[in-house]
Amino acid sequence: QVQLVESGGGSVQSGGSLRLSCAASGYAYGTYCMGWFRQAPGKEREGVAAIDSDSNSDGRTRYSDTVKGRFTISRDNAKNTLYLQMNTLKPEDTAMYYCAADPFRCLSLHRSNYRYWGQGTQVTVSS
């Protein structure tokens, strides 16, 4: 049973930083492709960052244009944990953030390509 549990969300002022974590269990974590998504009220869930599986590469990453240069995705396979370091946060980054996992489809920012999802953690950025 694959389980993903996000943490680290909260409220921060514009320009601040947060680091989200996603603790994974129930599968061979290092072999799965991982991603971060977000969904603001009334909007579609969008992909913000993805990272390749440890078995495929040396950790290739991909970012949406809206977060490139501000967010960094990383993974610690020894701890079965995915991270999203978010810097220079803006009010438009306010959303529920979800981590996602899939055994096959790596480096995708499309929600349909991920099989497993966490419950989300809320990020609120005030101006």
Side-chain angles (χ1 to χ4, degrees):
Q1 182 80 11
V2 175
Q3 288 192 322
L4 303 171
V5 180
E6 301 95 336
S7 62
S11 296
V12 64
Q13 289 192 327
S14 181
S17 298
L18 283 173
R19 188 176 80 156
L20 306 183
S21 299
C22 173
S25 62
Y27 66 102
Y29 172 74
T31 65
Y32 274 51
C33 315
M34 304 293 296
W36 284 101
F37 288 73
R38 67 186 183 187
Q39 187 167 17
K43 294 189 176 181
E44 295 288 321
R45 190 171 297 188
E46 63 169 342
V48 297
I51 189 166
D52 210 342
S53 71
D54 190 55
S55 56
N56 279 350
S57 72
D58 58 358
R60 289 180 299 164
T61 58
R62 183 181 178 188
Y63 298 91
S64 68
D65 289 342
T66 57
V67 307
K68 194 176 297 182
R70 300 187 297 122
F71 290 12
T72 302
I73 187 172
S74 63
R75 63 192 302 164
D76 184 335
N77 292 335
K79 295 182 179 180
N80 285 6
T81 303
L82 180 74
Y83 301 100
L84 185 68
Q85 177 67 43
M86 305 186 295
N87 298 328
T88 319
L89 283 162
K90 305 175 182 180
E92 51 264 44
D93 294 318
T94 295
M96 185 72 78
Y97 283 71
Y98 300 88
C99 72
D102 192 270
F104 304 116
R105 294 169 174 170
C106 290
L107 296 175
S108 172
L109 296 179
H110 294 284
R111 61 178 296 183
S112 62
N113 287 337
Y114 288 85
R115 186 175 303 184
Y116 303 106
W117 292 85
Q119 294 300 306
T121 185
Q122 177 68 37
V123 172
T124 303
V125 185
S126 59
S127 57

